[in-house]
Amino acid sequence: MELADHMAGQLARSARVLEAMAGDAALCATAARVAEVTVAALQGGRKLLLCGNGGSAADAQHWAAELVGRFLHDRPPLPAIALTTDSSALTCIGNDYGFDQVFSRQVAALGQGGDVLFALSTSGNSANVLAALEAARARRMVCVGFTGAREGRMDALCDHLLRVPSTETARIQEGHEALGHALCAAIEAAIFPAVP
């Protein structure tokens, strides 16, 4: 196969997933609800915590940066913390308690009732993400899960679940990235409607 054809095929597969997401009324309604509860939390003085592994860790960091920095417009910063960025905390917790606890210990330390946890797991079964969700529920945080088409253990731990209609890791991650950008845009517009 020619490389150009291969590239076109990959892009077409991505486009099909994104089109399916855009046409999924239930997914869009859930995403809108997630935006609403996140806006309410931020306006109430709460914060957003985000976690995931690998590419999902990169997404967590990316979205937190968009909210603390800026997304589409210059405006005041919003409190969002990626639990994937503190190498000292990650290695300390991993060494002393195990990798499964690297996010839950941070949630227990930083999370408060009414805060929102964005938990990303393409499989829905990442042990450290599940532990973070359990810690967040214990602290009465709002739990938002991002996953793929297959059911996973995280489903039962989330108040809101955003499921990308794919079983392919790369496509799920691309769907998460699109959802993350859509949520950042919605949050920014809702909190700062006067910003052009």
Side-chain angles (χ1 to χ4, degrees), residues 6 13 26 32 48 64 72 102 142 150 153 160-161 177:
H6 179 75
R13 289 167 74 172
L48 176 61
L72 296 175
V102 293
V142 177
R150 292 192 178 102
R153 290 170 55 206
H160 308 281
L161 189 66
E177 186 64 16

Side-chain angles (χ1 to χ4, degrees), residues 70-90:
R70 66 185 298 273
F71 186 60
L72 296 175
H73 307 291
D74 288 326
R75 40 77 181 165
L78 294 168
I81 303 169
L83 303 179
T84 55
T85 57
D86 186 338
S87 59
S88 294
L90 292 170

